[in-house]
Amino acid sequence: MKDIVLSGIRSTGNLHLGNYYGALSKFVKIQDTCDCNFFIADLHALTTNPDPQQLHANVKSILAEYLAAGLDPEKSTIFVQSDIPEIAEMYLLLNMHVGIGELMRTASFKDKARKALGLGSPEAGDGDDDAIERQIIGTDSNRRVNAGLLTYPTLMAVDILIQKATKVPVGKDQLQHLELTRRFARRFNSFYGVDLFPEPTDFDFGGAPVKVPGLDGSGKMGKSEGNCIYLIDDPKVLRKKVMRAVTDEGPKEPNSPMSEPVANLFTLLELTSTPDVVSHFRQAYADCSIRYGDLKKQLAEDILAVTTPIRERVQDILADESYLARVVRQGAEKARARASQTLREMREIMGIRPL
Ligand code: ADP
Ligand code: TRP
C-alpha cells in the first residue's frame, strides 16, 4: 500500500526560502511516488486572530505559490482546510479524548501563550511556566490566551488522522505535535478497542534536515523573525536584502574558523549555487582573498535564478481566478471523500448514531 502523505502550511503570509527548502521543494519531489495531500491551514492561522481580508488574501497567495513551485493538482490533492467541514466536527469529537494538561505542556503552546501575554522568553528569567499558568487562568490581566491556541495540537492531529495519513513531512518544530498525534491515535484506538487510526510518522528524506538561516546573522529564517527572503520578492528588493546581510571583518589568517553570519551566507550559497561557485568562495575565504560584496552579489543572482521562475508563474496563476477555484474545488472533493468516511466511522464507534 502506498503511503498517504499529508502536510500543510499556515496561511500567515507569503512563502520564504525557509518554507521552500524546508518544505515545499520536498513536497514537489515526492508527488510521483506517494499519495500526496497538501493543504493550506487557514483554520490554524485563526489562532492568532488575523485580519479577515488578509487571511483570505494569504490563502490565495499560498495556493498560487504552491502551484508555481511545482505542486501539481493532477498528482497531489491540494485543498484549503476550511473547505473540509468534517475537520471541525472531528476536532470536537477528538477533543473529548485530549487532556488540557498535555496541551498546556506543549512547547509551541507555551511559546505562543508567552507571546500573547506579552511575556519574555524563559531564558530572560521572565515568564517561567508557573507565571504563564497563573496569567492564563488569572484575572489580573486583560490579555488572554485563546482556547484555539491551546487545542492547536488537536486540530493538527485531526488534519492528519481524518485522512488516515501515514507520513507527515514537517520541520523539527512540529515533531512534538506529531508525537501527540500518535498518542491521540493510540489512545482512541485502545479506548474503543478499534484499529481506526494508523500512527503517522515523519517523512524521512534522508540526510540532515535543512535549516535555512536568516540574513541577520543568527537563527533561522522565519516570518516572525522579519528576516525573510520571499519567493515573490522583486529582484531589486531581493538584491538589497542580500547586500545588507550581516557579515564580519573578514578572515585575518588563512583557514580561520567562520563566524555564524558568514557561515549562514555559505549555507544559503550551498542551497542555491553550483558546487563550483561554493568551492571558489570557500577557497577565497581560506586564503583570505574573499570579498563579501562579491559573495553577496553572486548569492543574490543565484537565489534569483531559483525564485524568478516561481515569481513569474505566481503572477500568472494569481490572475487566473477560475483556475485557482477549480484546483481547490477538485482538491476539496477528494479530501472530503476520505474525511467524511473517517468521520462516519468515528461517530459510529463513539456511539453517535441515528435513532
Ligand atoms: P514560519 O516559521 O516562517 O512561520 P511555518 O512555521 O509556517 O513558517 O513553516 C511552514 C513549513 O516551512 C514547516 O514545515 C517548517 O518546518 C518549514 N520552515 C519554515 N522556516 C524554515 C527554515 N528557516 N528552514 C527550514 N524549514 C523551514
Ligand atoms: N502546524 C503546522 C505548522 O505550523 C501546520 C499544520 C497544520 C500541519 N496541520 C498540519 C502540518 C498537518 C502537517 C500536518 O507549520
Side-chain angles (χ1 to χ4, degrees), residues 9-10 16 18-19 22-23 170-171 173 210-212 220-223:
I9 297 183
R10 282 174 308 138
H16 51 76
N19 300 137
V170 283
D173 57 324
V210 199
K211 186 184 121 186
V212 181
K220 68 161 204 164
M221 185 176 289
K223 268 167 273 180

Side-chain angles (χ1 to χ4, degrees), residues 6-8 10 39 41 44 152 156 159-160 168 170 174:
L6 175 104
S7 194
R10 282 174 308 138
F39 71 102
H44 275 96
Y152 187 109
M156 178 157 162
D159 294 330
I160 298 168
V168 182
V170 283
Q174 297 298 314

Side-chain angles (χ1 to χ4, degrees), residues 60 63 67 73 315-331:
K60 226 162 124 182
L63 174 63
L67 297 166
Q315 284 156 357
D316 291 345
I317 293 169
L318 272 180
D320 194 347
E321 303 237 343
S322 66
Y323 173 62
L324 289 173
R326 212 168 341 114
V327 168
V328 290
R329 206 180 322 118
Q330 179 187 316

Side-chain angles (χ1 to χ4, degrees), residues 74-334:
E74 298 308 315
K75 294 179 183 166
S76 295
T77 302
I78 302 169
F79 62 98
V80 180
Q81 187 184 25
S82 60
D83 281 343
I84 319 297
E86 289 79 5
I87 289 177
E89 185 175 341
M90 178 167 159
Y91 171 58
L92 183 150
L93 298 180
L94 190 65
N95 257 333
M96 305 306 169
H97 288 280
V98 172
I100 53 172
E102 60 192 341
L103 294 174
M104 284 186 79
R105 285 191 298 274
T106 49
S108 67
F109 174 69
K110 285 195 270 190
D111 189 44
K112 287 184 172 144
R114 215 175 265 129
K115 283 188 186 141
L117 293 169
L119 298 173
S121 67
E123 295 83 46
D126 191 6
D128 57 62
D129 286 357
D130 287 349
I132 297 172
E133 254 173 67
R134 280 198 308 276
Q135 295 246 13
I136 289 170
I137 52 176
T139 48
D140 53 342
S141 159
N142 54 9
R143 287 208 181 91
R144 71 196 138 72
V145 175
N146 74 56
L149 212 49
L150 181 67
T151 52
Y152 187 109
T154 313
L155 185 57
M156 178 157 162
V158 168
D159 294 330
I160 298 168
L161 300 178
I162 206 164
Q163 300 295 335
K164 298 191 180 173
T166 49
K167 293 279 175 216
V168 182
V170 283
K172 218 169 142 200
D173 57 324
Q174 297 298 314
L175 291 180
Q176 194 181 22
H177 291 152
L178 200 54
E179 180 63 46
L180 280 174
T181 303
R182 282 194 289 276
R183 199 200 292 173
F184 299 161
R186 224 176 297 132
R187 183 179 297 160
F188 186 93
N189 286 345
S190 84
F191 187 89
Y192 294 101
V194 293
D195 191 18
L196 183 65
F197 298 123
E199 288 184 34
T201 53
D202 188 18
F203 196 102
D204 183 6
F205 289 97
V210 199
K211 186 184 121 186
V212 181
L215 294 171
D216 47 357
S218 68
K220 68 161 204 164
M221 185 176 289
K223 268 167 273 180
S224 41
E225 272 63 53
N227 61 2
C228 294
I229 294 184
Y230 292 101
L231 296 178
I232 58 152
D233 271 345
D234 173 80
K236 250 172 111 182
V237 172
L238 192 148
R239 287 195 184 98
K240 221 186 222 163
K241 285 184 181 175
V242 176
M243 295 314 287
R244 277 204 310 249
V246 176
T247 52
D248 57 21
E249 289 156 7
K252 299 270 187 297
E253 286 169 28
N255 303 312
S256 325
M258 258 181 216
S259 66
E260 194 183 348
V262 175
N264 285 350
L265 287 182
F266 273 94
T267 302
L268 285 169
L269 200 66
E270 260 157 14
L271 286 167
T272 53
S273 300
T274 60
D276 288 1
V277 169
V278 178
S279 65
H280 163 77
F281 283 103
R282 280 206 184 280
Q283 184 55 41
Y285 184 87
D287 65 21
C288 305
S289 65
I290 193 160
R291 292 196 340 215
Y292 291 142
D294 294 344
L295 168 72
K296 289 176 177 178
K297 265 192 208 133
Q298 177 76 41
L299 178 60
E301 295 318 306
D302 289 334
I303 294 175
L304 278 170
V306 176
T307 60
T308 300
I310 299 178
R311 186 185 67 249
E312 289 172 356
R313 280 195 294 271
V314 166
Q315 284 156 357
D316 291 345
I317 293 169
L318 272 180
D320 194 347
E321 303 237 343
S322 66
Y323 173 62
L324 289 173
R326 212 168 341 114
V327 168
V328 290
R329 206 180 322 118
Q330 179 187 316
E333 230 169 78
K334 287 199 223 157

